[in-house]
Amino acid sequence: MRDPVALLLTDRPDRSAQIAAALEPAVDCHVLGMDEAWTESTPLAGIIADVDIVRSEAKQTVRKLRELAVPGDAPLVLLMRNRSARSFADAKSVGADVCLAARTAPHVVAETFLAQTHPRRELIDLTITRAIGRAGRALTTLLDAARMDQSLDVDAFEMGVDPILTAVADGGLVRWLDIVWNFDDATYQHCMLVAGLAAALALHVGFSASDRLHLVRSALIHDIGKAKIPLEILNKPGRLDENEMRIMRTHAALGHELLVKATGFDAETLDVVLHHHEMLDGSGYPDGLKGDAISDRVRLITICDIYAALIERRPYRAPMGHEEALRVLRGMGNKLDLDLLAAFEQAIVKR
């Protein structure tokens, strides 16, 4: 079932787009004109009515929409065209929970609505939760398709990338990590952690919008090959033995093969998926690349990947703290790009 949506009933399409845009980071918003019928089965988070409530047609439409929602579960925010006694009487008759002036700024309308639908949640937490939901659905769809040897929907996956950058930019890395840690699936959690870290790094370094998207896309999909690893190895509650580790290490090449077959993924993303376990001293896998043969994007994702693995909860060890994880990274010496590691440290300090 889809997440509940905000329903914006309006007879002013010029204003509706602005209100919908203000709501979009936190909740899906469906704009409904007065001449349209609501036929969706999607549950309603609440209703915003930007209509002239003294008109009988408007009152009738609002009442019908309220009947579609569970009483008390879908608050009604009404934008008032005037503040006459009749208008307030009509607002009360349709069950308005909050009345605002029609000229109220769109972001205030959005904040008021969300305060009604999620009274104990901050706007930024709703934004991050929604971003995680969108990115997570995109990632899960891709992983499931890979496991079942189905075609990969590249366009659907792309829709999950930009919300990560928005959430980390607005809410900070700590909030992102805290929410992602609540998920149980190890591969899902790891990819989402790496994507959040990559977003924080890209924002700190000042990458262009295009480069930020490319980096986060690569981070989110870097472990797609794990979809082809046997579950008894992937979900083993203890350390892997030598043979199991050999199988696990095939995930980079398997992921690269999946994306090549899917088409639509840029060469840099393919490079990250194949080489994110390469080390500058040549000790990595699968190709034993070293030095300049390893691209900057791969070097960045490798740092994010290792840090995420160290701070994750594992059945056989407790998660490392921030400083301890950084000491491990620094201790890897010439295996990692130390300049990029320094930038990474600065990025997550500002988290």
Side-chain angles (χ1 to χ4, degrees):
M1 179 181 290
R2 285 184 56 190
D3 293 335
V5 301
L7 184 60
L8 172 54
L9 175 68
T10 183
D11 57 12
R12 296 193 302 172
D14 57 319
R15 283 271 297 175
S16 62
Q18 299 175 50
I19 297 173
L23 285 165
E24 178 61 26
V27 65
D28 275 330
C29 180
H30 185 100
V31 179
L32 188 71
M34 282 292 295
D35 57 346
E36 299 177 80
W38 177 250
T39 59
E40 302 288 335
S41 59
T42 307
L44 298 181
I47 302 166
I48 299 173
D50 186 9
V51 295
D52 187 354
I53 199 62
V54 300
R55 294 173 55 199
S56 59
E57 178 187 4
K59 285 194 287 286
Q60 183 179 11
T61 301
V62 172
R63 289 193 182 104
K64 286 182 178 178
L65 292 174
R66 292 303 301 272
E67 291 171 0
L68 297 176
V70 178
D73 287 349
L76 170 63
V77 174
L78 185 64
L79 302 187
M80 306 282 287
R81 302 294 165 83
N82 63 69
R83 304 182 70 81
S84 67
R86 178 183 174 185
S87 292
F88 280 105
D90 287 332
K92 182 177 180 180
S93 74
V94 298
D97 295 281
V98 177
C99 295
L100 298 174
R103 293 184 178 181
T104 301
H107 75 276
V108 175
V109 175
E111 290 169 1
T112 302
F113 175 81
L114 293 170
Q116 291 292 311
T117 58
H118 301 82
R120 290 175 294 278
R121 301 280 304 277
E122 291 185 28
L123 175 59
I124 189 57
D125 288 331
L126 292 172
T127 299
I128 293 174
T129 300
R130 174 161 160 76
I132 288 175
R134 293 172 67 183
R137 283 190 292 272
L139 177 61
T140 300
T141 298
L142 211 64
L143 288 169
D144 288 345
R147 289 187 181 109
M148 295 183 287
D149 293 320
Q150 297 175 348
S151 60
L152 306 185
D153 189 339
V154 179
D155 292 336
F157 174 74
E158 293 291 336
M159 298 296 291
V161 177
D162 189 61
I164 298 174
L165 282 159
T166 301
V168 173
D170 292 347
L173 181 60
V174 167
R175 272 191 169 108
W176 176 270
L177 298 179
D178 285 344
I179 294 174
V180 170
W181 269 322
N182 291 322
F183 293 93
D184 295 327
D185 182 272
T187 300
Y188 174 96
Q189 183 190 87
H190 178 72
C191 289
M192 296 288 277
L193 289 174
V194 176
L197 292 165
L201 180 55
L203 290 163
H204 169 73
V205 173
F207 283 2
S208 68
S210 175
D211 286 343
R212 290 196 298 267
L213 285 171
H214 278 88
L215 187 69
V216 174
R217 179 193 298 119
S218 300
L220 189 59
I221 205 173
H222 78 285
D223 265 349
I224 183 67
K226 287 184 178 178
K228 308 303 290 184
I229 299 298
L231 290 178
E232 60 269 22
I233 293 177
L234 196 62
N235 297 330
K236 184 177 179 179
R239 292 185 180 277
L240 301 180
D241 62 31
E242 185 177 344
N243 185 57
E244 290 167 336
M245 183 59 74
R246 179 186 59 78
I247 295 172
M248 178 65 86
R249 286 184 171 183
T250 65
H251 79 273
L254 289 171
H256 181 263
E257 182 181 350
L258 282 169
L259 299 194
V260 169
K261 287 182 179 178
T263 71
F265 290 95
D266 60 277
E268 290 83 1
T269 297
L270 295 175
D271 184 29
V272 167
V273 171
L274 182 60
H275 292 132
H276 62 277
H277 286 290
E278 302 285 1
M279 298 292 154
L280 294 183
D281 64 354
S283 63
Y285 66 89
D287 295 325
L289 301 182
K290 61 189 304 184
D292 292 340
I294 303 175
S295 69
D296 285 345
R297 192 189 296 191
V298 169
R299 298 180 190 203
L300 289 168
I301 297 300
T302 297
I303 292 170
C304 296
D305 184 38
I306 296 171
Y307 179 85
L310 293 172
I311 65 172
E312 287 167 11
R313 299 173 179 88
R314 297 292 174 88
Y316 52 87
R317 66 159 173 82
M320 288 187 185
H322 167 69
E323 289 299 334
E324 185 181 2
L326 287 179
R327 280 196 296 272
V328 171
L329 286 168
R330 296 186 199 111
M332 293 178 69
N334 63 354
K335 292 179 180 293
L336 302 177
D337 186 311
L338 297 182
D339 290 335
L340 294 180
L341 178 56
F344 175 80
E345 290 191 42
Q346 294 171 5
I348 60 177
V349 163
K350 290 185 175 182
R351 67 195 191 284

